[in-house]
Amino acid sequence: MSKNRVEELESTVAELESTVEGLTDELIESKERIRVLEAELDTESPTRVPERRGGEEAESADEVTQEAAPDEVAEAAADADGEEAAQDEAEDSGSDDIIVA
């Protein structure tokens, strides 16, 4: 009976090794696709605005969006971090569950 168990374990190990190899290949391909996409984004102009869908051809000066100053960006990021921390604390206080993925 132990011989049968050994064969079963060897079969399980072989399946797991094959799964790991497949996932590793998929991860490598995904990383390569991400590199290609990031390279494409780097070559595009960062100020490019997508075209409007409503068929509006003329834009008035009031519709032009201005870029935020670095100080404004930092302040908004700090505010967002503070809000996230408050939400996290509120969520954490009510549960002691452990989630395993």
Side-chain angles (χ1 to χ4, degrees), residues 44-59:
E44 289 182 7
S45 172
T47 58
R48 185 174 167 207
V49 178
E51 295 180 16
R52 294 181 180 245
R53 292 185 179 197
E56 299 175 20
E57 296 178 19
E59 291 186 16

Side-chain angles (χ1 to χ4, degrees), residues 60-86:
S60 68
D62 295 334
E63 294 177 6
V64 176
T65 304
Q66 294 183 354
E67 189 172 317
D71 293 339
E72 293 173 340
V73 173
E75 184 179 322
D79 290 345
D81 288 343
E83 290 174 8
E84 288 178 14

Side-chain angles (χ1 to χ4, degrees), residues 1 18-19 24-25 33 35 37 39-40 47 58 60 62 66-67 73 76-77 79 86-87 89 93 95 101:
M1 192 137 92
S18 137
T19 301
T24 301
D25 291 342
R33 279 187 249 136
R35 280 190 207 108
L37 291 173
E40 287 178 11
T47 58
S60 68
D62 295 334
Q66 294 183 354
E67 189 172 317
V73 173
D79 290 345
Q87 289 176 352
E89 289 175 8
S93 64
S95 67

Side-chain angles (χ1 to χ4, degrees), residues 1-39:
M1 192 137 92
S2 72
K3 185 176 183 179
N4 199 13
R5 177 74 175 147
V6 170
E7 290 175 0
E8 187 178 314
L9 289 173
E10 287 175 347
S11 171
T12 302
V13 168
E15 288 177 26
L16 291 172
E17 286 175 342
S18 137
T19 301
V20 168
E21 286 178 26
L23 290 173
T24 301
D25 291 342
E26 189 174 324
L27 178 62
I28 291 168
E29 290 173 7
S30 297
K31 283 185 174 184
E32 183 59 31
R33 279 187 249 136
I34 289 170
R35 280 190 207 108
V36 169
L37 291 173
E38 286 176 342

